[in-house]
Amino acid sequence: MVDVSSLDGGEIEVREERVIPGGFAAALSVSAGDLFEIVDLEGQQVGDLVGFATHDRTEWLSTSHTRAASLCLNLRVGDVLQTNWRRPMLEVLHDDVGMHDIITQMCDERRYRIDYNVEGHRSCRSNFVDVLAPWGIAEWAIPDPFNIFQNAPIHPDRTFGNQIPTSVAGDRIVFNVLADAILAVSACPQDLNPCNGFNPSPMAIRVGSPR
Ligand SMILES: [Zn+2]
């Protein structure tokens, strides 16, 4: 595992940093002008990302509005992530991986019960419920996620796959923050399909100002 304190932060003068154990989540507040970074510390790990406008909880990061704006089913450097009110919230500044899923829903307890016959499995949805509770954000308000580093290749017949991520230890994606927001990342606990290489592992999130 990469020691996050050994990472120099690249473009970021780091102000706040959270190491997220595999299968858990963290949330923090960011301001317009900040940089926000997600780091895969061991590799092959997906980070589900959701975001809410700080001053209006009816406004959130929206995959469908982002897809409509970018006409793309992936994230690329320069892409702007839109809210449901069609305002820009994040812009991709740097990306080591180049493969993300902005189509599929996050894992939840129902998914593990219905599709895998497993009761009580940790899930991204329950992780978000836990870490967003201090901001008063209810489960029903949690939007579709941006699945950072998820390897979901789109096939010519418009079906898509679910493969082991190509990310390696230390790979990172960095966003320009364009609007004040509450951002949460879940190091997805899915260990029953290839999405996290069958081994959920830690991630880090960092926020700060441009150097
Ligand atoms: Zn998940």
Side-chain angles (χ1 to χ4, degrees):
M1 171 170 146
V2 170
D3 177 0
V4 71
S5 65
S6 73
L7 296 174
D8 69 1
E11 307 86 345
I12 305 180
E13 190 70 42
V14 176
R15 182 175 74 236
E16 188 175 353
E17 174 180 285
R18 305 278 181 83
V19 174
I20 307 170
F24 289 77
L28 43 72
S29 291
V30 299
S31 300
D34 284 342
L35 298 181
F36 173 72
E37 176 182 65
I38 303 171
V39 189
D40 186 348
L41 295 177
E42 292 188 1
Q44 301 184 349
Q45 177 63 41
V46 170
D48 288 41
L49 166 68
V50 297
F52 298 83
T54 303
H55 306 295
D56 179 0
R57 302 300 162 69
T58 69
E59 181 174 20
W60 55 80
L61 266 184
S62 167
T63 50
S64 57
H65 291 82
T66 298
R67 294 191 301 262
S70 68
L71 299 177
C72 184
L73 300 176
N74 195 5
L75 296 177
R76 302 156 299 183
V77 170
D79 279 352
V80 174
L81 283 62
Q82 306 278 332
T83 72
N84 58 318
W85 298 147
R86 299 188 187 274
R87 283 203 312 150
M89 182 175 277
L90 299 174
E91 176 188 14
V92 182
L93 176 68
H94 172 98
D95 179 12
D96 288 326
V97 178
M99 175 62 90
H100 314 280
D101 165 55
I102 59 172
I103 304 171
T104 59
Q105 185 51 270
M106 68 185 72
C107 64
D108 54 33
E109 288 186 21
R110 296 175 191 83
R111 164 91 159 126
Y112 293 105
R113 186 172 68 245
I114 294 167
D115 294 341
Y116 300 96
N117 199 29
V118 174
E119 292 286 346
H121 198 289
R122 294 196 66 81
S123 72
C124 288
R125 180 164 292 276
S126 56
N127 282 345
F128 286 133
V129 169
D130 290 345
V131 301
L132 292 169
W135 285 278
I137 296 168
E139 178 174 4
W140 63 263
I142 296 170
D144 291 359
F146 289 77
N147 297 308
I148 301 302
F149 306 146
Q150 184 157 323
N151 188 359
I154 314 292
H155 304 138
D157 66 356
R158 298 170 68 90
T159 61
F160 54 90
N162 180 18
Q163 301 178 4
I164 294 175
T166 59
S167 50
V168 300
D171 275 352
R172 43 202 281 276
I173 186 169
V174 183
F175 299 94
N176 279 316
V177 178
L178 305 176
D180 295 355
I182 301 151
L183 300 177
V185 171
S186 171
C188 178
Q190 173 59 270
D191 55 358
L192 302 171
N193 74 32
C195 136
N196 301 300
F198 299 97
N199 177 36
S201 60
M203 307 189 90
I205 54 176
R206 309 207 287 186
V207 61
S209 47
R211 285 187 192 276

